[in-house]
Amino acid sequence: MEIKLPILNDVWMDNAVETLYRILRETQNSSFSVKIDNNSLIITVTDFDKFKESVGIAVKNRRSNLIAINEDKNLGEKKEVKKDYILIQEGAKVSGKVAFKEELYNEKSTAETIKEIFDLISKEGTRNCIICGRQFFKPMKKLQQAAYPFVTKIKSLSGVRSYKDGEVYSFKEYFEDLCPTCYLTGISEWLDDGIIYRTVPGEKSTLFLPRFNSLEGLAKFKDSYRSLLNKSSRYRNIRVKEGSEETENPSGSFSTLLCFYEKFFFGVDKKEVIGKSWAMMEVPFGAVKNIKLNVIDLTESILLIIKELSEDKISIYKGIITEIFFFYDNTKGAPVDWDLTGEIRENLSESILRDDFRSFAKNLLPRKGGHVGYSNDTRLNLEYLIYIWRLKGMGLDEENLKIIKSAGRTIAAASKNHRNLLYKLDKAKDKNALLDALRQISRRIAGLKVEEKDKFRGFIYPPALEDIVLLLERHESDSKFIEDLKNTLVIFSCVEFSRLDYIGEKKEGVVNE
Ligand SMILES: [Zn+2]
């Protein structure tokens, strides 16, 4: 007997096929063999009874992927909790153990259910499956979110949706048309330990599932990074480092993905296949689970940048993103605005992943009541990031970088008490507007009072602005160059802006030359 599960180009179902493959491969014995290629998973069964028994045991062993252990430190008790993103209903706990309503995940009925499903799969029939289109004999279960979370998003089903008990969707015409193979596949995806997740209690969970047009590629990619994830962690599963139980705590979805790639390039030895496309799935808290689904496609060039940084032992997430803070200008109370810090870190992560240099620069600008700040090490890491992200491609070298940094210090000093100068530079839309902003900065520098000049000594170096003007003239017909140069200037000005607070106090030994 041969069971064939084809690729459906549906991110949930394809990851589920890969999950089944993984489970079957781990449990493979003389009763069956399993192989995966670009287009399908093929199970060849020689002893049907023993095969069903083995799959039942394998699924039972994997149940731990659906739960986390919660320890009550006061009582010293350990209790199972269902992970928040799992869309399988649970009944009252039985002596601290989660009791799933789905028969497949109820330890007492797993073996029997698996047997029943495969018996149905082995029969031929004439009904058509709504998910895969294949003909089948009889459904195992109705179509529900537990087996296919995007059930409300199937085009042919919209319009026939109705509510029952306030939360259960039912589909009068089609909901019975789920073949037992798709039921088993879909429901098995909860056993996937290759999903990256982040849960904000009371709000939502965000899940990342890789998208591939080859099942074999998908399997290779997931195999290569599984060890970076800690499935026993309830809220977030990217390990601080391989082998560690501790997990990272990124401030948002994009920082989660950026954090993942940092670990991937640092930790994974054999990067045979590198996934670039992801489905970002948002599962809300609350009774009605309307799942949001977004696709994120990354470019090769951005991944190469993260890779290049890691080869130079620079962590894009730990060494840059999590080292950026929003400081209050007036530090009577707490020095850092943590909410805004989290928001900025998330925006910066998204800008990097989407290769949006403009948005990256904008997020570093000072805002009302405060500014972004960094440690010395972070500044160097950031500088290196900007160099390989943009300057290298613009044909600029280390010497040009020095000029831009020097101009940045000058702009920062001029804008310290006149932030509108920095905002104007940031808003400049073309070469002329940029030249105009630079002229205003020069005038401001020329008009500085003696004590200001004294205070900012070492920061102000007007010839650097002249050099920038020359660069602009040389590339005046290249609007992309001009835009990138502007954003680079904004970034370095913002970085230097944060240092001005410390001059006079710490004597960091800044010299502008
Ligand atoms: Zn089907």
Side-chain angles (χ1 to χ4, degrees):
M1 179 186 175
E2 189 182 273
I3 301 168
K4 201 170 173 180
L5 303 181
I7 191 166
L8 295 174
N9 295 307
D10 174 302
V11 71
W12 184 261
M13 298 303 284
D14 292 344
N15 273 280
V17 169
E18 187 276 337
T19 301
L20 274 181
Y21 168 64
R22 174 93 182 165
I23 294 170
L24 293 174
R25 206 183 53 180
E26 279 170 5
T27 188
Q28 201 159 188
N29 57 42
S30 59
S31 68
F32 72 100
S33 67
V34 60
K35 71 168 196 241
I36 203 165
D37 60 25
N38 286 340
N39 301 313
S40 47
L41 165 69
I42 298 156
I43 311 164
T44 311
V45 181
T46 45
D47 181 339
F48 197 39
D49 287 333
K50 193 170 172 212
F51 164 71
K52 287 183 282 191
E53 191 189 316
S54 315
V55 179
I57 294 167
V59 169
K60 217 190 265 186
N61 288 342
R62 275 265 185 157
R63 180 184 166 277
S64 61
N65 199 60
L66 278 62
I67 51 161
I69 305 293
N70 211 357
E71 203 178 340
D72 188 323
K73 294 237 166 71
N74 294 327
L75 296 170
E77 276 177 0
K78 284 183 180 175
K79 258 190 194 168
E80 284 187 4
V81 277
K82 184 178 81 163
K83 282 185 195 164
D84 304 80
Y85 65 82
I86 305 276
L87 294 175
I88 293 175
Q89 297 193 335
E90 75 175 299
K93 282 198 176 71
V94 181
S95 50
K97 287 193 88 175
V98 170
F100 288 108
K101 285 189 181 166
E102 197 75 36
E103 292 81 0
L104 186 79
Y105 291 130
N106 180 326
E107 281 171 303
K108 287 196 193 104
S109 48
T110 304
E112 193 49 42
T113 309
I114 285 287
K115 197 173 159 296
E116 214 178 309
I117 294 171
F118 279 108
D119 286 343
L120 283 177
I121 289 176
S122 67
K123 287 184 181 142
E124 280 177 30
T126 52
R127 296 172 67 167
N128 285 308
C129 174
I130 180 88
I131 301 276
C132 69
R134 102 177 72 203
Q135 293 202 315
F136 67 100
F137 170 65
K138 213 176 90 177
M140 176 70 196
K141 280 244 178 173
K142 294 170 188 173
L143 178 58
Q144 285 176 327
Q145 279 195 314
Y148 190 70
F150 315 125
V151 66
T152 57
K153 298 205 183 305
I154 301 176
K155 268 209 187 96
S156 54
L157 292 180
S158 59
V160 294
R161 183 189 310 177
S162 67
Y163 287 91
K164 214 173 135 192
D165 307 324
E167 59 166 321
V168 181
Y169 293 107
S170 64
F171 304 94
K172 289 197 179 72
E173 292 169 57
Y174 301 103
F175 72 136
E176 298 270 7
D177 293 339
L178 177 70
C179 80
T181 313
C182 284
Y183 167 71
L184 174 67
T185 311
I187 199 90
S188 299
E189 179 51 9
W190 301 113
L191 301 173
D192 189 353
D193 55 6
I195 296 177
I196 301 166
Y197 57 81
R198 170 182 184 266
T199 292
V200 183
E203 198 185 308
K204 64 175 180 190
S205 296
T206 307
L207 276 60
F208 287 98
L209 283 82
R211 295 173 74 236
F212 267 79
N213 49 22
S214 144
L215 286 174
E216 199 179 1
L218 178 66
K220 277 187 180 158
F221 181 52
K222 287 169 85 172
D223 265 355
S224 71
Y225 72 70
R226 261 193 188 86
S227 58
L228 304 175
L229 306 178
N230 180 1
K231 69 172 185 173
S232 57
S233 174
R234 179 173 179 184
Y235 296 124
R236 298 163 295 264
N237 67 337
I238 301 176
R239 293 180 196 272
V240 166
K241 60 173 190 259
E242 235 175 314
S244 161
E245 287 301 303
E246 201 190 330
T247 51
E248 295 285 2
N249 185 9
S251 44
S253 309
F254 285 96
S255 27
T256 300
L257 193 55
L258 189 69
C259 174
F260 166 78
Y261 275 109
E262 168 188 309
K263 310 293 177 197
F264 180 76
F265 285 117
F266 261 94
V268 173
D269 292 333
K270 265 177 79 187
K271 300 177 195 66
E272 234 180 296
V273 185
I274 300 174
K276 294 192 293 243
S277 183
W278 298 84
M280 183 168 97
M281 209 177 131
E282 286 186 2
V283 182
F285 273 65
V288 178
K289 306 283 195 193
N290 225 333
I291 311 293
K292 271 197 209 157
L293 183 67
N294 283 299
V295 169
I296 299 169
D297 288 316
L298 306 174
T299 61
E300 185 105 37
S301 61
I302 274 299
L303 293 179
L304 284 177
I305 287 166
I306 303 174
K307 183 167 177 264
E308 198 175 330
L309 283 172
S310 72
E311 278 159 6
D312 280 306
K313 302 274 174 285
I314 296 174
S315 315
I316 195 158
Y317 173 74
K318 285 288 235 192
I320 299 178
I321 297 296
T322 63
E323 290 295 325
I324 288 178
F325 304 88
F326 189 83
F327 291 101
Y328 290 115
D329 288 332
N330 192 341
T331 54
K332 273 184 196 140
V336 173
D337 181 336
W338 287 106
D339 285 347
L340 194 49
T341 294
E343 202 182 295
I344 290 170
R345 288 176 182 175
E346 174 64 5
N347 292 345
L348 292 172
S349 303
E350 180 170 2
S351 308
I352 294 170
L353 289 172
R354 293 199 190 276
D355 196 5
D356 188 342
F357 196 54
R358 170 82 195 113
S359 158
F360 188 87
K362 259 173 107 144
N363 271 288
L364 296 178
L365 282 170
R367 305 179 192 200
K368 201 168 181 243
H371 62 272
V372 178
Y374 333 72
S375 70
N376 276 335
D377 286 347
T378 316
R379 270 203 307 270
L380 290 174
N381 292 344
L382 187 62
E383 198 175 286
Y384 192 57
L385 167 67
I386 303 305
Y387 183 71
I388 58 173
W389 189 6
R390 272 302 185 274
L391 298 186
K392 236 166 95 177
M394 290 162 75
L396 300 180
D397 57 15
E398 300 273 344
E399 207 46 47
N400 295 120
L401 175 65
K402 267 190 198 159
I403 292 169
I404 294 170
K405 278 167 67 183
S406 183
R409 275 181 217 126
T410 310
I411 296 164
S415 315
K416 187 62 194 168
N417 298 312
H418 296 265
R419 290 184 180 185
N420 57 321
L421 290 172
L422 188 49
Y423 298 143
K424 183 165 180 176
L425 177 84
D426 173 68
K427 288 207 178 75
K429 287 227 154 41
D430 54 24
K431 187 193 107 186
N432 288 335
L434 193 50
L435 286 174
D436 197 36
L438 290 171
R439 263 194 297 272
Q440 276 197 29
I441 289 161
S442 297
R443 275 202 294 275
R444 164 79 190 136
I445 295 289
L448 284 176
K449 291 179 200 137
V450 179
E451 62 267 30
E452 285 176 313
K453 275 192 182 149
D454 203 42
K455 188 180 172 199
F456 297 139
R457 197 176 349 108
F459 265 78
I460 300 167
Y461 186 66
L465 296 181
E466 300 296 325
D467 290 335
I468 296 292
V469 172
L470 286 176
L471 263 178
L472 280 170
E473 300 289 357
R474 211 175 304 146
H475 297 88
E476 62 178 347
S477 56
D478 186 347
S479 59
K480 168 106 172 45
F481 183 97
I482 289 170
E483 171 73 10
D484 283 344
L485 182 63
K486 178 194 83 176
N487 290 324
T488 310
L489 272 179
V490 169
I491 292 167
F492 283 108
S493 303
C494 292
V495 169
E496 298 299 336
F497 191 91
S498 69
R499 299 171 82 188
L500 289 167
D501 284 341
Y502 300 99
I503 56 165
E505 293 165 30
K506 287 191 181 166
K507 292 257 183 267
E508 272 190 78
V510 187
V511 180
N512 206 349
E513 45 193 277

